[in-house]
Amino acid sequence: MIWLNWRQFRLQALAGAIGLLVIAAYLLYLGVEVRDAHDAYRSQCPGKCAQARSEFQSTYQNTLLFLAAGLWLIPVIVGAFWGAPLIARELELNTHRLVWNQSVTRRRWLTSRIAFVGLGAMILTGLVGLLLTWAAAPYDQVAADRFGTVEFGARNIAPIGYAFLAFTLGAVVGLLVRRTLPAMAITGVVFLVLQISVANMVRPNLMPAEKTTLPMTAQNINQARNLGSITGSPSIGGLQVPGAPDAWISEISPMRTADGRTVASSAFNGCLNTPPKTGAGGTFGDTAVCLSKLNLHVEMKYQPGSRYWPFQLTETGLYLVVSGILIAIALQRVRRA
């Protein structure tokens, strides 16, 4: 069975190996460059540390975000091009009849195919994930955004679980649909929807969030990334938990008064659009000073940075469990194929 699996999988394996070599060469180059830039930024501290830090982040932010998004697509490609045709092509061409008339049982044939190709998918995606994790390590340390929606799924072990689930999903869809091209399309769409749904709806609820209240002093407001919204609501974003810059903030309430009510839009927009002139500096300047005089606060839900690895392990384990369920469905279904 190993020889047969290799014969059927060798072209995909060769393409994956070539792709891995190209990606590895670029990520090794990028990793060295990021480390040199990080050393240059650190050499500016403490004198011009803030400016150098901002320049370092802005230089690599879009590149690393693009690479992380690209890594998200590797499991989709694996599921569509490795998983979906695994059984669908056999059924479509009727070549399965030859295999199933031999001494090897259907279940053993399917198990060996999933194990052989699935292992290759996990190795390929896992190596790319680890290389990207290494290349981005200095940036991640500075940006403190390891829990980012895209970044989390492109670091450490999470891509391994994604790849195996995408592959098993494709195999099961191919078994059910029995046509290669429709199975490829369905697998790609379903897995993309699944990735986005898990990142935004499942991941925040894997562990109970911690809660804290942050007073809206001028200093805290100036540390935010954005203020207000297109709807005019008194919102603020990009805050940090005091003493825990690497914490994942999953929810920030609107700005509230001392009695817990959301601040009136008129008062908030007045400070935002026409604040009294004080000559204050900082990101939001006079607006921050104006809002701080209203005695406001926000309530935040967050996950401490120490939970990063428990989240990685839990989410990866969740994907592997779902993969196991799909494999069980496939083994049951193949008996009636």
Side-chain angles (χ1 to χ4, degrees):
M1 287 302 296
I2 294 177
W3 180 86
L4 177 62
N5 284 323
W6 168 247
R7 289 279 299 176
Q8 293 182 309
F9 181 61
R10 65 187 186 277
L11 292 180
Q12 295 98 315
L14 178 61
I18 293 173
L20 177 61
L21 288 175
V22 173
I23 294 171
Y26 174 72
L27 289 177
L28 289 172
Y29 166 79
L30 179 65
V32 172
E33 182 181 298
V34 169
R35 280 158 174 76
D36 290 342
H38 183 259
D39 291 340
Y41 141 63
R42 295 291 296 172
S43 68
Q44 299 294 316
C45 296
K48 299 180 180 178
C49 196
Q51 180 181 351
R53 176 192 180 106
S54 177
E55 291 175 355
F56 172 71
Q57 286 188 247
S58 62
T59 300
Y60 294 103
Q61 181 178 25
N62 290 336
T63 299
L64 291 173
L65 186 61
F66 175 79
L67 290 172
L71 182 51
W72 267 47
L73 292 177
I74 291 180
V76 178
I77 295 172
V78 165
F81 289 89
W82 290 13
L86 187 76
I87 308 172
R89 183 180 290 120
E90 300 276 5
L91 297 173
E92 200 170 25
L93 300 177
N94 284 324
T95 54
H96 66 289
R97 298 183 184 278
L98 176 63
V99 178
W100 291 352
N101 285 327
Q102 307 301 317
S103 60
V104 177
T105 65
R106 297 184 183 189
R107 286 188 171 185
R108 183 183 172 189
W109 170 80
L110 181 58
T111 301
S112 66
R113 297 229 64 193
I114 290 176
F116 190 87
V117 185
L119 181 61
M122 295 169 73
I123 291 174
L124 171 66
T125 312
L127 287 175
V128 175
L130 293 177
L131 283 167
L132 180 56
T133 302
W134 172 82
Y139 175 86
D140 289 342
Q141 182 181 2
V142 173
D145 193 25
R146 295 188 301 168
F147 280 102
T149 301
V150 178
E151 291 85 352
F152 183 88
R155 302 286 195 272
N156 296 299
I157 63 172
I160 297 174
Y162 297 171
F164 193 57
L165 177 57
F167 168 73
T168 54
L169 175 65
V172 172
V173 171
L175 177 61
L176 297 176
V177 175
R178 305 174 71 92
R179 293 291 182 269
T180 302
L181 290 180
M184 293 171 67
I186 293 171
T187 299
V189 171
V190 170
F191 189 74
L192 272 176
V193 171
L194 185 64
Q195 274 186 309
I196 296 171
S197 300
V198 169
N200 291 281
M201 293 185 288
V202 177
R203 187 182 301 157
N205 299 304
L206 289 177
M207 297 182 189
E210 301 288 338
K211 298 179 181 179
T212 189
T213 299
L214 185 66
M216 288 292 90
T217 63
Q219 179 181 1
N220 286 336
I221 293 172
N222 280 321
Q223 290 176 349
R225 295 178 186 171
N226 53 74
L227 191 60
S229 67
I230 58 175
T231 61
S233 63
S235 61
I236 186 170
L239 295 171
Q240 292 184 347
V241 177
D246 60 341
W248 172 30
I249 299 177
S250 56
E251 183 179 328
I252 302 177
S253 72
M255 291 187 178
R256 292 174 175 165
T257 58
D259 58 3
R261 294 181 298 177
T262 300
V263 64
S265 296
S266 57
F268 176 78
N269 291 325
C271 286
L272 189 63
N273 299 321
T274 56
K277 301 298 181 181
T278 63
T283 305
F284 298 105
D286 294 334
T287 294
V289 174
C290 178
L291 290 171
S292 68
K293 294 180 179 179
L294 300 179
N295 192 25
L296 303 175
H297 69 274
V298 295
E299 296 173 357
M300 298 191 298
K301 293 182 179 180
Y302 70 97
Q303 300 287 350
S306 59
R307 294 182 181 177
Y308 175 79
W309 273 106
F311 265 87
Q312 278 270 325
L313 293 168
T314 301
E315 186 165 324
T316 303
L318 177 64
Y319 275 80
L320 293 178
V321 167
V322 175
S323 299
I325 295 173
L326 289 175
I327 291 172
I329 293 173
L331 292 174
Q332 182 65 28
R333 178 71 180 181
V334 77
R335 297 176 61 184
R336 303 192 299 271

